[in-house]
mmCIF file of all heavy atoms in Angstrom:
data_model
loop_
_atom_site.group_PDB
_atom_site.id
_atom_site.type_symbol
_atom_site.label_atom_id
_atom_site.label_comp_id
_atom_site.label_asym_id
_atom_site.label_seq_id
_atom_site.Cartn_x
_atom_site.Cartn_y
_atom_site.Cartn_z
ATOM 1 N N GLY A 669 63.455 114.720 105.380
ATOM 2 C CA GLY A 669 62.544 115.698 104.834
ATOM 3 C C GLY A 669 63.187 117.055 104.639
ATOM 4 O O GLY A 669 62.528 118.076 104.624
ATOM 5 N N MET A 670 64.492 117.077 104.462
ATOM 6 C CA MET A 670 65.192 118.319 104.308
ATOM 7 C C MET A 670 65.125 118.804 102.831
ATOM 8 O O MET A 670 64.741 118.064 101.948
ATOM 9 C CB MET A 670 66.676 118.156 104.724
ATOM 10 C CG MET A 670 66.846 117.738 106.142
ATOM 11 S SD MET A 670 68.579 117.549 106.646
ATOM 12 C CE MET A 670 69.021 116.038 105.757
ATOM 13 N N VAL A 671 65.516 120.062 102.621
ATOM 14 C CA VAL A 671 65.598 120.619 101.263
ATOM 15 C C VAL A 671 67.041 121.078 101.049
ATOM 16 O O VAL A 671 67.546 121.923 101.797
ATOM 17 C CB VAL A 671 64.623 121.806 101.083
ATOM 18 C CG1 VAL A 671 64.838 122.460 99.722
ATOM 19 C CG2 VAL A 671 63.185 121.343 101.226
ATOM 20 N N GLY A 672 67.674 120.484 100.062
ATOM 21 C CA GLY A 672 69.052 120.839 99.690
ATOM 22 C C GLY A 672 69.019 121.817 98.522
ATOM 23 O O GLY A 672 68.378 121.537 97.491
ATOM 24 N N LEU A 673 69.673 122.960 98.685
ATOM 25 C CA LEU A 673 69.738 123.974 97.622
ATOM 26 C C LEU A 673 71.146 123.944 97.047
ATOM 27 O O LEU A 673 72.151 124.051 97.765
ATOM 28 C CB LEU A 673 69.452 125.353 98.220
ATOM 29 C CG LEU A 673 68.132 125.447 99.010
ATOM 30 C CD1 LEU A 673 68.048 126.816 99.700
ATOM 31 C CD2 LEU A 673 66.925 125.210 98.103
ATOM 32 N N PHE A 674 71.244 123.779 95.728
ATOM 33 C CA PHE A 674 72.500 123.662 95.029
ATOM 34 C C PHE A 674 72.582 124.752 93.936
ATOM 35 O O PHE A 674 71.836 124.688 92.981
ATOM 36 C CB PHE A 674 72.684 122.297 94.404
ATOM 37 C CG PHE A 674 72.763 121.163 95.407
ATOM 38 C CD1 PHE A 674 71.635 120.698 96.046
ATOM 39 C CD2 PHE A 674 73.972 120.622 95.707
ATOM 40 C CE1 PHE A 674 71.698 119.677 96.988
ATOM 41 C CE2 PHE A 674 74.070 119.577 96.642
ATOM 42 C CZ PHE A 674 72.918 119.116 97.300
ATOM 43 N N GLU A 675 73.521 125.675 94.122
ATOM 44 C CA GLU A 675 73.726 126.722 93.100
ATOM 45 C C GLU A 675 74.978 126.364 92.325
ATOM 46 O O GLU A 675 76.094 126.363 92.909
ATOM 47 C CB GLU A 675 73.895 128.085 93.783
ATOM 48 C CG GLU A 675 74.121 129.222 92.797
ATOM 49 C CD GLU A 675 74.522 130.507 93.515
ATOM 50 O OE1 GLU A 675 75.703 130.615 93.878
ATOM 51 O OE2 GLU A 675 73.667 131.342 93.695
ATOM 52 N N VAL A 676 74.819 126.061 91.072
ATOM 53 C CA VAL A 676 75.952 125.627 90.226
ATOM 54 C C VAL A 676 76.279 126.717 89.216
ATOM 55 O O VAL A 676 75.387 127.243 88.540
ATOM 56 C CB VAL A 676 75.593 124.307 89.464
ATOM 57 C CG1 VAL A 676 76.757 123.858 88.609
ATOM 58 C CG2 VAL A 676 75.212 123.228 90.484
ATOM 59 N N LYS A 677 77.560 127.090 89.149
ATOM 60 C CA LYS A 677 77.994 128.153 88.214
ATOM 61 C C LYS A 677 79.244 127.696 87.447
ATOM 62 O O LYS A 677 79.961 126.808 87.919
ATOM 63 C CB LYS A 677 78.373 129.442 89.000
ATOM 64 C CG LYS A 677 77.258 130.009 89.850
ATOM 65 C CD LYS A 677 76.278 130.791 89.024
ATOM 66 C CE LYS A 677 75.263 131.459 89.924
ATOM 67 N NZ LYS A 677 74.245 132.124 89.234
ATOM 68 N N ASN A 678 79.489 128.361 86.371
ATOM 69 C CA ASN A 678 80.727 128.160 85.538
ATOM 70 C C ASN A 678 80.901 126.742 85.027
ATOM 71 O O ASN A 678 81.913 126.145 85.314
ATOM 72 C CB ASN A 678 81.938 128.590 86.345
ATOM 73 C CG ASN A 678 81.836 129.998 86.841
ATOM 74 O OD1 ASN A 678 81.394 130.895 86.114
ATOM 75 N ND2 ASN A 678 82.242 130.243 88.064
ATOM 76 N N PRO A 679 79.974 126.222 84.232
ATOM 77 C CA PRO A 679 78.748 126.836 83.748
ATOM 78 C C PRO A 679 77.552 126.553 84.656
ATOM 79 O O PRO A 679 77.558 125.631 85.409
ATOM 80 C CB PRO A 679 78.567 126.156 82.378
ATOM 81 C CG PRO A 679 79.093 124.756 82.625
ATOM 82 C CD PRO A 679 80.254 124.962 83.547
ATOM 83 N N SER A 680 76.498 127.336 84.457
ATOM 84 C CA SER A 680 75.234 127.111 85.134
ATOM 85 C C SER A 680 74.413 126.089 84.311
ATOM 86 O O SER A 680 74.494 126.107 83.089
ATOM 87 C CB SER A 680 74.418 128.381 85.248
ATOM 88 O OG SER A 680 75.109 129.323 86.080
ATOM 89 N N PRO A 681 73.621 125.264 84.974
ATOM 90 C CA PRO A 681 72.779 124.360 84.213
ATOM 91 C C PRO A 681 71.672 125.140 83.489
ATOM 92 O O PRO A 681 71.310 126.224 83.951
ATOM 93 C CB PRO A 681 72.208 123.400 85.268
ATOM 94 C CG PRO A 681 72.360 124.080 86.563
ATOM 95 C CD PRO A 681 73.499 125.063 86.415
ATOM 96 N N PRO A 682 71.117 124.582 82.438
ATOM 97 C CA PRO A 682 70.023 125.261 81.719
ATOM 98 C C PRO A 682 68.751 125.198 82.572
ATOM 99 O O PRO A 682 68.539 124.290 83.371
ATOM 100 C CB PRO A 682 69.839 124.469 80.446
ATOM 101 C CG PRO A 682 70.360 123.082 80.763
ATOM 102 C CD PRO A 682 71.490 123.313 81.760
ATOM 103 N N LYS A 683 67.911 126.223 82.401
ATOM 104 C CA LYS A 683 66.632 126.258 83.091
ATOM 105 C C LYS A 683 65.622 125.401 82.351
ATOM 106 O O LYS A 683 65.547 125.435 81.114
ATOM 107 C CB LYS A 683 66.126 127.731 83.178
ATOM 108 C CG LYS A 683 64.866 127.846 83.951
ATOM 109 C CD LYS A 683 64.453 129.288 84.142
ATOM 110 C CE LYS A 683 63.156 129.208 84.898
ATOM 111 N NZ LYS A 683 62.657 130.379 85.389
ATOM 112 N N ILE A 684 64.800 124.659 83.104
ATOM 113 C CA ILE A 684 63.728 123.886 82.491
ATOM 114 C C ILE A 684 62.619 124.831 82.090
ATOM 115 O O ILE A 684 62.185 125.659 82.868
ATOM 116 C CB ILE A 684 63.182 122.850 83.506
ATOM 117 C CG1 ILE A 684 64.224 121.805 83.859
ATOM 118 C CG2 ILE A 684 61.940 122.142 82.930
ATOM 119 C CD1 ILE A 684 63.791 120.874 85.004
ATOM 120 N N GLU A 685 62.205 124.751 80.851
ATOM 121 C CA GLU A 685 61.117 125.563 80.359
ATOM 122 C C GLU A 685 59.824 124.780 80.537
ATOM 123 O O GLU A 685 59.689 123.670 79.998
ATOM 124 C CB GLU A 685 61.320 125.949 78.896
ATOM 125 C CG GLU A 685 62.532 126.835 78.682
ATOM 126 C CD GLU A 685 62.454 128.169 79.393
ATOM 127 O OE1 GLU A 685 61.370 128.717 79.559
ATOM 128 O OE2 GLU A 685 63.520 128.658 79.825
ATOM 129 N N ARG A 686 58.890 125.279 81.331
ATOM 130 C CA ARG A 686 57.652 124.608 81.574
ATOM 131 C C ARG A 686 56.598 125.628 81.950
ATOM 132 O O ARG A 686 56.935 126.719 82.433
ATOM 133 C CB ARG A 686 57.776 123.575 82.669
ATOM 134 C CG ARG A 686 58.190 124.247 84.007
ATOM 135 C CD ARG A 686 58.267 123.255 85.133
ATOM 136 N NE ARG A 686 58.780 123.914 86.297
ATOM 137 C CZ ARG A 686 59.909 123.660 86.909
ATOM 138 N NH1 ARG A 686 60.654 122.680 86.480
ATOM 139 N NH2 ARG A 686 60.266 124.325 87.962
ATOM 140 N N PRO A 687 55.312 125.286 81.796
ATOM 141 C CA PRO A 687 54.276 126.201 82.236
ATOM 142 C C PRO A 687 54.376 126.367 83.746
ATOM 143 O O PRO A 687 54.687 125.410 84.471
ATOM 144 C CB PRO A 687 52.992 125.515 81.845
ATOM 145 C CG PRO A 687 53.355 124.331 80.987
ATOM 146 C CD PRO A 687 54.799 124.103 81.210
ATOM 147 N N SER A 688 54.071 127.544 84.251
ATOM 148 C CA SER A 688 54.135 127.764 85.731
ATOM 149 C C SER A 688 52.881 127.249 86.404
ATOM 150 O O SER A 688 52.867 127.063 87.631
ATOM 151 C CB SER A 688 54.332 129.255 86.014
ATOM 152 O OG SER A 688 53.236 129.985 85.554
ATOM 153 N N GLU A 689 51.837 127.036 85.691
ATOM 154 C CA GLU A 689 50.623 126.499 86.275
ATOM 155 C C GLU A 689 50.407 125.078 85.773
ATOM 156 O O GLU A 689 51.014 124.643 84.802
ATOM 157 C CB GLU A 689 49.404 127.374 85.894
ATOM 158 C CG GLU A 689 49.519 128.756 86.450
ATOM 159 C CD GLU A 689 48.331 129.622 86.125
ATOM 160 O OE1 GLU A 689 47.340 129.100 85.571
ATOM 161 O OE2 GLU A 689 48.418 130.840 86.329
ATOM 162 N N GLY A 690 49.592 124.303 86.481
ATOM 163 C CA GLY A 690 49.343 122.950 86.095
ATOM 164 C C GLY A 690 50.486 122.034 86.509
ATOM 165 O O GLY A 690 51.241 122.301 87.436
ATOM 166 N N CYS A 691 50.562 120.882 85.826
ATOM 167 C CA CYS A 691 51.604 119.932 86.150
ATOM 168 C C CYS A 691 52.346 119.518 84.882
ATOM 169 O O CYS A 691 51.859 119.781 83.775
ATOM 170 C CB CYS A 691 51.039 118.711 86.882
ATOM 171 S SG CYS A 691 49.864 117.736 85.897
ATOM 172 N N ASN A 692 53.495 118.936 85.067
ATOM 173 C CA ASN A 692 54.341 118.554 83.954
ATOM 174 C C ASN A 692 54.832 117.099 84.155
ATOM 175 O O ASN A 692 55.169 116.755 85.293
ATOM 176 C CB ASN A 692 55.557 119.498 83.862
ATOM 177 C CG ASN A 692 55.127 120.941 83.734
ATOM 178 O OD1 ASN A 692 54.786 121.375 82.654
ATOM 179 N ND2 ASN A 692 55.158 121.662 84.837
ATOM 180 N N LEU A 693 54.879 116.334 83.131
ATOM 181 C CA LEU A 693 55.355 114.962 83.204
ATOM 182 C C LEU A 693 56.780 114.970 83.785
ATOM 183 O O LEU A 693 57.617 115.802 83.386
ATOM 184 C CB LEU A 693 55.372 114.294 81.837
ATOM 185 C CG LEU A 693 53.995 113.909 81.283
ATOM 186 C CD1 LEU A 693 54.167 113.318 79.883
ATOM 187 C CD2 LEU A 693 53.274 112.941 82.207
ATOM 188 N N GLY A 694 57.059 114.105 84.677
ATOM 189 C CA GLY A 694 58.391 113.952 85.284
ATOM 190 C C GLY A 694 58.660 114.937 86.392
ATOM 191 O O GLY A 694 59.697 114.885 87.037
ATOM 192 N N GLU A 695 57.737 115.828 86.659
ATOM 193 C CA GLU A 695 57.943 116.850 87.695
ATOM 194 C C GLU A 695 57.653 116.259 89.087
ATOM 195 O O GLU A 695 56.706 115.478 89.266
ATOM 196 C CB GLU A 695 56.949 118.011 87.435
ATOM 197 C CG GLU A 695 57.025 119.104 88.471
ATOM 198 C CD GLU A 695 56.145 120.274 88.091
ATOM 199 O OE1 GLU A 695 55.015 120.074 87.616
ATOM 200 O OE2 GLU A 695 56.584 121.407 88.262
ATOM 201 N N ILE A 696 58.467 116.667 90.034
ATOM 202 C CA ILE A 696 58.249 116.249 91.413
ATOM 203 C C ILE A 696 57.665 117.433 92.172
ATOM 204 O O ILE A 696 58.027 118.583 91.980
ATOM 205 C CB ILE A 696 59.583 115.797 92.063
ATOM 206 C CG1 ILE A 696 60.059 114.519 91.400
ATOM 207 C CG2 ILE A 696 59.462 115.661 93.567
ATOM 208 C CD1 ILE A 696 61.392 114.036 91.873
ATOM 209 N N CYS A 697 56.756 117.127 93.089
ATOM 210 C CA CYS A 697 56.150 118.112 93.945
ATOM 211 C C CYS A 697 56.526 117.799 95.392
ATOM 212 O O CYS A 697 56.276 116.689 95.833
ATOM 213 C CB CYS A 697 54.636 118.120 93.750
ATOM 214 S SG CYS A 697 53.770 119.278 94.808
ATOM 215 N N MET A 698 57.145 118.738 96.096
ATOM 216 C CA MET A 698 57.478 118.522 97.506
ATOM 217 C C MET A 698 56.189 118.758 98.298
ATOM 218 O O MET A 698 55.477 119.758 98.082
ATOM 219 C CB MET A 698 58.566 119.473 97.957
ATOM 220 C CG MET A 698 59.887 119.211 97.262
ATOM 221 S SD MET A 698 61.169 120.337 97.838
ATOM 222 C CE MET A 698 60.635 121.866 97.047
ATOM 223 N N VAL A 699 55.871 117.886 99.242
ATOM 224 C CA VAL A 699 54.644 117.980 100.042
ATOM 225 C C VAL A 699 55.014 118.097 101.520
ATOM 226 O O VAL A 699 55.812 117.288 102.030
ATOM 227 C CB VAL A 699 53.743 116.760 99.790
ATOM 228 C CG1 VAL A 699 52.471 116.898 100.622
ATOM 229 C CG2 VAL A 699 53.443 116.567 98.315
ATOM 230 N N PHE A 700 54.471 119.107 102.171
ATOM 231 C CA PHE A 700 54.734 119.364 103.576
ATOM 232 C C PHE A 700 53.411 119.554 104.306
ATOM 233 O O PHE A 700 52.471 120.089 103.735
ATOM 234 C CB PHE A 700 55.558 120.606 103.812
ATOM 235 C CG PHE A 700 56.909 120.631 103.193
ATOM 236 C CD1 PHE A 700 57.111 121.156 101.931
ATOM 237 C CD2 PHE A 700 57.998 120.120 103.860
ATOM 238 C CE1 PHE A 700 58.374 121.197 101.347
ATOM 239 C CE2 PHE A 700 59.262 120.183 103.301
ATOM 240 C CZ PHE A 700 59.450 120.686 102.051
ATOM 241 N N TYR A 701 53.329 119.167 105.582
ATOM 242 C CA TYR A 701 52.235 119.617 106.440
ATOM 243 C C TYR A 701 52.593 121.021 106.897
ATOM 244 O O TYR A 701 53.764 121.389 107.035
ATOM 245 C CB TYR A 701 52.070 118.702 107.647
ATOM 246 C CG TYR A 701 51.341 117.436 107.333
ATOM 247 C CD1 TYR A 701 52.005 116.198 107.334
ATOM 248 C CD2 TYR A 701 49.962 117.446 107.066
ATOM 249 C CE1 TYR A 701 51.339 115.011 107.070
ATOM 250 C CE2 TYR A 701 49.294 116.288 106.773
ATOM 251 C CZ TYR A 701 49.967 115.075 106.781
ATOM 252 O OH TYR A 701 49.313 113.922 106.500
ATOM 253 N N CYS A 702 51.549 121.815 107.195
ATOM 254 C CA CYS A 702 51.765 123.211 107.518
ATOM 255 C C CYS A 702 50.684 123.631 108.523
ATOM 256 O O CYS A 702 49.518 123.171 108.411
ATOM 257 C CB CYS A 702 51.639 124.037 106.229
ATOM 258 S SG CYS A 702 51.756 125.811 106.490
ATOM 259 N N SER A 703 51.032 124.477 109.487
ATOM 260 C CA SER A 703 50.088 124.883 110.494
ATOM 261 C C SER A 703 49.171 126.037 110.053
ATOM 262 O O SER A 703 48.081 126.187 110.576
ATOM 263 C CB SER A 703 50.799 125.261 111.777
ATOM 264 O OG SER A 703 51.653 126.393 111.559
ATOM 265 N N ASP A 704 49.585 126.855 109.045
ATOM 266 C CA ASP A 704 48.798 128.051 108.717
ATOM 267 C C ASP A 704 49.037 128.434 107.230
ATOM 268 O O ASP A 704 50.025 129.108 106.945
ATOM 269 C CB ASP A 704 49.154 129.202 109.655
ATOM 270 C CG ASP A 704 48.256 130.392 109.474
ATOM 271 O OD1 ASP A 704 47.509 130.498 108.486
ATOM 272 O OD2 ASP A 704 48.307 131.273 110.371
ATOM 273 N N LEU A 705 48.179 128.009 106.381
ATOM 274 C CA LEU A 705 48.340 128.306 104.936
ATOM 275 C C LEU A 705 48.208 129.802 104.636
ATOM 276 O O LEU A 705 48.874 130.323 103.732
ATOM 277 C CB LEU A 705 47.319 127.512 104.096
ATOM 278 C CG LEU A 705 47.433 125.998 104.169
ATOM 279 C CD1 LEU A 705 46.390 125.333 103.265
ATOM 280 C CD2 LEU A 705 48.814 125.515 103.828
#
C-alpha cells in the first residue's frame, strides 16, 4: 500500500489534461482508510 513518487526530467513526460472534478475513463483512484478527515 505504498506510494512511489517518480520525477522524470530531460525530457519530462507530458501532463495529462483532464477535468479536476468528476472522474475520467482509465483513471485510478488511490483509496486509504483515515482516522480524521
